[in-house]
Amino acid sequence: MSENASSPRAPLWFLRPSARTWRCEPAPVEVRGFHAALPGHSPTPLTELPPLASELGVGRVFVKDESCRLGLPAFKALGASWAVHRTLAERTTSGKEPGLVTLVTATDGNHGRAVARMARLLGQRAHVFVPQGVHPRAVAAIVAEHAKVTEVSAPYDEAVRLAAEAAAGPDAVLVQDTAWSGYEQIPGWIVEGYSTLCAETDEQLAAEGVDKGPDLVSIPVGVGSLAQAVVTHYRSRPSGWAPALLSVEPEAAACVLESLILGEPVSVTTGDTTMAGLNCGTPSSIAWPYLYSGLDAAVAIPDADSARAVAQLAALGVSSGPCGAAALAGLRAVLTGVGAEERRTALGLDATSVVVLLSTEGAAANPNSTADP
């Protein structure tokens, strides 16, 4: 089956059959040990949900539950902690004057809160730029970390631009989870930090008798940094089993899907979405080669599908926000409805397959107006 994108009717979908043969270098092994040494660190749960396996026609479904990671309600603390650690260490070894540093970033919610938490714990300052569409409670959570917050009446990409300008001073550093030409080292450290999540997942699957690893991993995607980490983890093995990797985005901000369809990274005009943490218009420059070569498939979903997945996961005992639940919503879009059997076959899935959903945030991470009482 050749590379293709489906019709614009649901699901908005892209397939690359050659992805499982692509290989890359692995993440640094020392990242896992760094996280293990942090106060309060413990692996997040990997929860099996048999009702989902039955509904979706696969063997087993597991959810990697990131609703509490290092005391925060999302996975972002993994990347922020490692990147801030590396950033401050680099400043020391390069001979820069000691003293307070302002860590600057833009965020749709979770990353900014994680950077602010690290700044507070390490006695540094934080300045966080927040674009339009982020819920006031998410903004308040960043403020509660003692960060300076600048709210921007514009989309995420503009907030990133303003954060980069603000970080130009000698006592400030940009800690951004997307990369562009000339700004790639720190985003690369953030991606490395996410590798801990993948290593934990493999160990937890092995404890459940799944020694070869998953058959498919479903990944919520904003700029693509987490997806880059997942691709790196599963495509850096020299031989052996390689799972299918599926990226999931909001229809209102499907920059990775559009880029894959066109064969080059492009920016899209984003709209409103309850999946605030995925509301990004431009793929990360360092993520793009990994996404282009290593993703088997990409899909875009409407907010209603994510909301349904939030409710279903809650009923099964998993706290997930709209971004985290996108992993389930995207998989459901691929495995059900018109053309589902063709998509299932293309991904190599059958009634014995093991699927992992990356639920990247808890319900408290990025509240949205549709969830308000």
Side-chain angles (χ1 to χ4, degrees):
M1 190 173 187
S2 61
E3 297 179 10
N4 69 87
S6 74
S7 90
R9 301 293 295 174
L12 300 171
W13 149 267
F14 175 89
L15 174 70
R16 186 184 303 285
S18 61
R20 267 166 277 186
T21 64
W22 185 73
R23 291 295 179 267
C24 61
E25 293 298 312
V29 295
E30 61 265 29
V31 178
R32 186 81 184 279
F34 166 79
H35 286 134
L38 291 176
H41 173 269
S42 62
T44 54
L46 185 73
T47 303
E48 185 170 8
L49 298 178
L52 291 184
S54 178
E55 174 196 346
L56 297 172
V58 296
R60 304 177 77 176
V61 172
F62 294 88
V63 176
K64 184 61 169 167
D65 179 359
E66 292 291 311
S67 60
C68 186
R69 173 66 79 171
L70 287 166
L72 294 175
F75 78 104
K76 292 285 190 175
L78 290 172
S81 60
W82 177 248
V84 170
H85 163 72
R86 289 297 308 271
T87 297
L88 296 180
E90 286 285 315
R91 287 180 65 87
T92 299
T93 57
S94 66
K96 292 187 177 180
E97 290 292 326
L100 288 177
V101 175
T102 300
L103 305 176
V104 186
T105 194
T107 186
D108 280 319
N110 296 326
H111 172 71
R113 186 177 178 186
V115 170
R117 170 68 63 87
M118 288 303 300
R120 181 169 65 81
L121 292 177
L122 297 172
Q124 306 294 338
R125 296 179 295 238
H127 186 183
V128 180
F129 287 76
V130 179
Q132 63 190 16
V134 177
H135 195 281
R137 291 207 301 269
V139 177
I142 299 171
V143 173
E145 300 291 347
H146 303 170
K148 176 183 177 181
V149 172
T150 297
E151 297 190 61
V152 179
S153 298
Y156 174 81
D157 287 1
E158 176 64 8
V160 172
R161 187 187 70 80
L162 293 173
E165 287 184 356
D171 296 322
V173 60
L174 185 67
V175 184
Q176 196 59 57
D177 55 347
T178 187
W180 54 88
S181 179
Y183 181 74
E184 296 180 334
Q185 184 178 57
I186 290 175
W189 289 335
I190 289 173
V191 171
E192 289 175 0
Y194 298 153
S195 64
T196 291
L197 184 158
C198 301
E200 287 179 4
T201 299
D202 281 355
E203 290 179 1
Q204 291 166 323
L205 283 174
E208 295 287 340
V210 186
D211 293 319
K212 73 172 184 177
D215 296 293
L216 180 141
V217 181
S218 182
I219 316 151
V221 169
V223 299
S225 295
L226 175 61
Q228 179 186 350
V230 177
V231 169
T232 298
H233 181 76
Y234 289 109
R235 303 293 187 243
S236 59
R237 300 170 177 178
S239 61
W241 179 247
L245 303 178
L246 170 70
S247 73
V248 185
E249 298 170 280
E251 288 183 350
C255 65
V256 169
L257 175 61
E258 184 69 14
S259 297
L260 290 171
I261 290 171
L262 295 175
E264 62 181 0
V266 297
S267 296
V268 301
T269 300
T270 60
D272 294 332
T273 174
T274 55
M275 291 170 272
L278 308 182
N279 195 6
C280 306
T282 305
S284 170
S285 67
I286 60 171
W288 171 247
Y290 293 80
L291 307 180
Y292 178 78
S293 299
L295 284 176
D296 293 79
V299 67
I301 58 168
D303 283 4
D305 287 5
S306 175
R308 176 188 173 195
V310 167
Q312 186 171 19
L313 288 171
L316 294 172
V318 176
S319 172
S320 186
C323 298
L328 171 57
L331 182 66
R332 179 182 283 119
V334 168
L335 297 187
T336 62
V338 176
E341 285 307 312
E342 180 183 1
R343 294 189 293 272
R344 186 184 299 265
T345 299
L347 293 173
L349 299 180
D350 59 28
T352 67
S353 298
V354 175
V355 171
V356 171
L357 309 176
L358 301 185
S359 179
T360 51
E361 64 176 14
N366 262 333
N368 60 84
S369 58
T370 60
D372 288 343

